[in-house]
Amino acid sequence: RNPPSPVHRAGPRLCAVMFRTMVTRGALSQRNLDIQSTLANPIRHAKSKLQSYSMRDLGHSWVLVVLGLWHAYLFWIAGCVMLTMGANEVVKMWIGLYEDAEGLYDKRVQVIPAFLVLVAKSWIWISVLGELVRFCFILGRDALRVDGFEAYRRTLLGLAAAELREGALYSSSW
């Protein structure tokens, strides 16, 4: 068994004196002092870090980048799925019209109203679907910003009128 070191024999009082001596002589850098204060009081250190945290600091966070990419990917997939399902529904409606009207060619009076209703239904379906895909695009683009979903929040609050008139996102401030 190894004999105890002089520090262990002297006890904590000598360690405190040695630490103060190293600090006054400049043996410890400011970074080591920050580490010491962090270890001494982690809650106070966390509060001070959070109070001095800015959007600029947030922009350098790899967690924010990963979350932004994940949200953008999900919105891209949602837009593609909605577009595919919507196109499938429109084709299904038109095929249904031709299946129902197969024996009615001599009765054009019944086919024309069904055709006009289907044109209106398709137009409404495509308009709603286009808005949903555009909404997914805006959310996906908005997810990659540091202040995530700003355009979405502005739109929900009714503050995006200037941007909608200009046709560009983030053109006016809050």
Side-chain angles (χ1 to χ4, degrees):
R1 183 178 156 143
N2 294 335
S5 68
V7 173
H8 284 100
R9 282 187 298 217
R13 192 175 234 173
L14 180 62
C15 289
V17 171
M18 288 173 58
F19 179 74
R20 267 189 257 127
T21 306
M22 289 190 316
V23 169
T24 55
R25 290 186 183 164
L28 293 177
S29 66
Q30 184 62 34
R31 182 175 178 190
N32 287 339
L33 289 175
D34 288 342
I35 291 171
Q36 292 294 331
S37 66
T38 301
L39 293 175
N41 196 345
I43 294 174
R44 184 183 311 153
H45 178 73
K47 280 184 182 178
S48 68
K49 278 291 203 187
L50 288 175
Q51 288 173 347
S52 65
Y53 211 69
S54 68
M55 293 298 278
R56 186 175 176 203
D57 297 329
L58 190 60
H60 299 296
S61 171
W62 64 270
V63 174
L64 181 74
V65 171
V66 169
L67 281 174
L69 288 174
W70 174 249
H71 281 90
Y73 170 74
L74 287 179
F75 290 126
W76 169 254
I77 293 297
C80 289
V81 166
M82 283 190 288
L83 188 63
T84 305
M85 289 177 66
N88 186 26
E89 191 65 32
V90 169
V91 169
K92 190 168 74 171
M93 287 188 294
W94 283 99
I95 289 174
L97 172 73
Y98 288 114
E99 285 178 352
D100 294 342
E102 191 174 326
L104 299 176
Y105 287 115
D106 54 340
K107 301 177 186 177
R108 291 189 181 161
V109 176
Q110 293 177 355
V111 174
I112 291 175
F115 176 78
L116 293 176
V117 166
L118 191 56
V119 167
K121 195 174 169 183
S122 296
W123 180 76
I124 290 170
W125 186 254
I126 290 169
S127 296
V128 169
L129 184 65
E131 288 297 316
L132 288 174
V133 170
R134 185 173 69 126
F135 188 67
C136 284
F137 171 75
I138 289 172
L139 282 175
R141 184 174 166 195
D142 214 12
L144 296 174
R145 290 179 45 112
V146 174
D147 187 11
F149 304 111
E150 177 187 354
Y152 174 69
R153 288 178 284 160
R154 292 176 66 122
T155 305
L156 285 181
L157 294 173
L159 301 173
E163 290 157 344
L164 292 175
R165 276 192 301 272
E166 294 175 19
L169 295 175
Y170 322 115
S171 60
S172 62
S173 64
W174 282 88

